[in-house]
């Protein structure tokens, strides 16, 4: 049985830890945070739900990295969430400092973990984690596409008036402005979305998906979305713990796939016990391929801004 660590016991981290624990496929889920008592209190609360919910995975709350030793998978959620009006890029500097410190601490006690990054700005934080950790690139993965695809699927189901289970949705590219929706591979009851909705209607749903996080931030006033984000991170962890090799849209390292090199970008990938086991190359339309290429250039530009930060 496996050990998972979730760094950051805020909204996203604690919900992710809970969901992973409820799958009941790990021996322990360690939650760690800089705030004393927070991960301990939340872990105690979750452990007290195990009898009712009937799962055995044990939560351990700690402020010590020693307790994270020999983790198979680590999910990094530590960082500041966006405030209303704040873009992901505004978060870059402060979260870069947190994520590199966390990565170094994790690596002191776990030799070769898989790290799932969710801290924003996502593409940069995933790249930074890979560079700071020096882990092989397939073992460092960002979560964005599962969430964006799930948001898109929800908006499609509401618009068309069908159950969510009737919808297949896919978004690739970057998390944010250069998210790449893939309408050619989106379906409702097996039918291409483009036969059901007009391109104007699809564009509206795409825009709402791309702004999905900001819409929730502006409603909440403080804090950002965490239910759907936690489901997205937890399902990736589940696939790797169970070595399922299912395909998910994730932020993965590209080495020539889709004609793109040397960048972390949202693409379909198989997740198994070794992390990303394959980048899956779907047949995209020319427009979608171009949008993915444009997203890769935009991410490369943003990653360049990390230059001075990552060596600190
Ligand atoms: N080490 C460990 N934990 C840290 C550190 C650190 N160096 N710095 C901050 N934290 C913790 C905070 O104490 C807090 O408990 O990270 C937690 C963040 O929790 P929230 O403020 O509730 O934020 P959350 O909604 O969970 O979002 C976390 O995910 O979606 C992204 O943009 C979001 O980057 C943000 C991250």
């Amino acid at each position: 049985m496996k050990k998972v660590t979730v760094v950051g016991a805020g909204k996203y981290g604690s919900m992710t830890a809970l969901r992973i624990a409820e799958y009941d496929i790990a021996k322990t889920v360690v939650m760690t945070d800089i705030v004393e008592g927070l991960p301990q209190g939340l872990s105690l609360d979750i452990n007290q739900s195990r009898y009712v919910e009937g799962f055995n995975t044990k939560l351990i709350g700690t402020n010590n990295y020693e307790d994270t030793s020999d983790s198979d998978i680590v999910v990094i959620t530590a960082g500041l969430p966006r405030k209303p009006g704040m873009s992901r890029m505004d978060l870059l500097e402060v979260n870069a400092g947190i994520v590199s410190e966390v990565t170094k601490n994790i690596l002191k006690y776990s030799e070769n973990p898989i790290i799932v990054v969710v801290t924003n700005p996502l593409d940069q934080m995933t790249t930074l984690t890979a560079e700071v950790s020096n882990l092989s690139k397939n073992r460092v993965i960002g979560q964005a596409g599962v969430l964006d695809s799930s948001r898109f699927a929800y908006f499609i189901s509401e618009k068309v008036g069908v159950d969510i289970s009737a919808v297949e949705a896919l978004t690739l590219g970057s998390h944010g402005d250069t998210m790449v929706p893939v309408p050619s591979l989106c379906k409702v009851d097996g039918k291409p979305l483009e036969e059901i909705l007009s391109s104007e209607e699809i564009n509206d749903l795409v825009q709402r998906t791309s702004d999905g996080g900001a819409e929730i931030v502006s409603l909440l006033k403080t804090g950002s979305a965490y239910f759907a984000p936690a489901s997205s991170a937890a399902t990736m962890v589940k696939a790797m713990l169970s070595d399922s090799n299912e395909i998910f849209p994730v932020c993965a390292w590209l080495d020539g796939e889709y004609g793109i090199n040397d960048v972390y970008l949202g693409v379909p990938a198989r997740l198994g016990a070794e992390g990303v086991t394959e980048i899956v190359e779907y047949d995209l339309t020319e427009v979608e391929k171009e949008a993915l290429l444009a997203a890769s250039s935009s991410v490369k530009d943003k990653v360049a801004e990390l230059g001075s930060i990552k060596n600190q």
Side-chain angles (χ1 to χ4, degrees):
M1 287 286 272
K2 304 282 184 174
K3 179 170 179 176
V4 178
T5 287
V6 178
V7 185
K11 297 276 179 49
Y12 198 154
S14 55
M15 185 55 64
T16 301
L18 172 67
R19 297 229 200 267
I20 295 168
E22 286 185 341
Y23 292 144
D24 214 8
I25 53 173
K27 184 160 193 287
T28 47
V29 175
V30 177
M31 229 194 314
T32 181
D33 200 286
I34 43 168
V35 179
E36 283 184 23
L38 179 68
Q40 292 87 342
L42 292 170
S43 295
L44 189 56
D45 193 7
I46 294 175
N47 280 328
Q48 290 169 358
S49 76
R50 284 165 48 200
Y51 179 67
V52 180
E53 296 290 345
F55 63 93
N56 285 307
T57 299
K58 184 177 175 175
L59 269 287
I60 296 172
T62 182
N63 305 112
N64 279 326
Y65 277 92
E66 235 172 305
D67 295 320
T68 71
S69 64
D70 301 322
S71 292
D72 298 282
I73 302 180
V74 177
V75 184
I76 301 181
T77 78
L80 296 191
R82 266 191 299 172
K83 303 206 167 76
M86 201 177 178
S87 77
R88 286 192 183 86
M89 290 311 293
D90 294 335
L91 286 177
L92 179 65
E93 195 162 337
V94 56
N95 281 355
I98 293 173
V99 166
S100 30
E101 178 210 308
V102 164
T103 304
K104 285 176 199 158
N105 282 324
I106 284 293
L107 268 288
K108 282 184 200 160
Y109 298 100
S110 298
E111 210 181 303
N112 194 26
I114 291 168
I115 303 185
V116 177
V117 182
V118 312
T119 303
N120 280 314
L122 194 270
D123 311 285
Q124 291 92 324
M125 293 305 107
T126 308
T127 310
L128 182 67
T129 303
E131 290 184 357
V132 172
S133 69
N134 225 7
L135 288 166
S136 85
K137 295 283 199 302
N138 59 303
R139 302 185 80 82
V140 178
I141 310 158
Q143 187 297 113
V146 179
L147 172 60
D148 290 334
S149 301
S150 186
R151 284 180 170 152
F152 194 27
Y154 169 68
F155 294 140
I156 293 169
S157 78
E158 288 291 292
K159 178 77 190 169
V160 181
V162 293
D163 286 350
I164 196 91
S165 57
V167 179
E168 285 170 58
L170 182 65
T171 66
L172 304 175
S174 162
H175 195 37
D177 306 341
T178 42
M179 184 191 86
V180 179
V182 190
S184 72
L185 296 176
C186 295
K187 300 195 168 98
V188 175
D189 278 326
K191 269 201 197 151
L193 187 59
E194 286 155 324
E195 288 178 19
I196 294 166
L197 296 177
S198 68
S199 54
E200 202 180 19
E201 287 171 319
I202 295 174
N203 286 343
D204 286 348
L205 301 184
V206 165
Q207 191 57 48
R208 193 166 173 207
T209 304
S210 168
D211 297 338
E215 183 178 355
I216 292 174
V217 167
S218 68
L219 287 167
L220 294 178
K221 311 282 190 299
T222 55
S224 51
Y226 60 97
F227 287 107
S231 293
S232 306
T235 201
M236 288 167 61
V237 170
K238 180 166 75 170
M240 294 187 280
L241 285 180
S242 55
D243 196 16
S244 77
N245 277 299
E246 281 166 272
I247 302 172
F248 295 93
V250 299
C251 180
W253 183 251
L254 290 185
D255 200 7
E257 298 88 351
Y258 291 99
I260 299 170
N261 272 302
D262 299 333
V263 67
Y264 268 99
L265 195 66
V267 287
R270 288 189 191 280
L271 297 185
E274 297 300 314
V276 169
T277 54
E278 184 195 348
I279 306 287
V280 182
E281 293 194 66
Y282 289 146
D283 276 336
L284 302 180
T285 64
E286 284 310 313
V287 172
E288 291 160 353
K289 274 189 220 161
E290 272 170 33
L292 198 58
L293 203 59
S296 77
S297 314
S298 153
V299 171
K300 280 182 182 174
D301 289 346
K302 288 175 184 167
V303 164
E305 296 170 11
L306 280 171
S308 56
I309 300 167
K310 74 191 174 205
N311 296 321
Q312 284 171 12

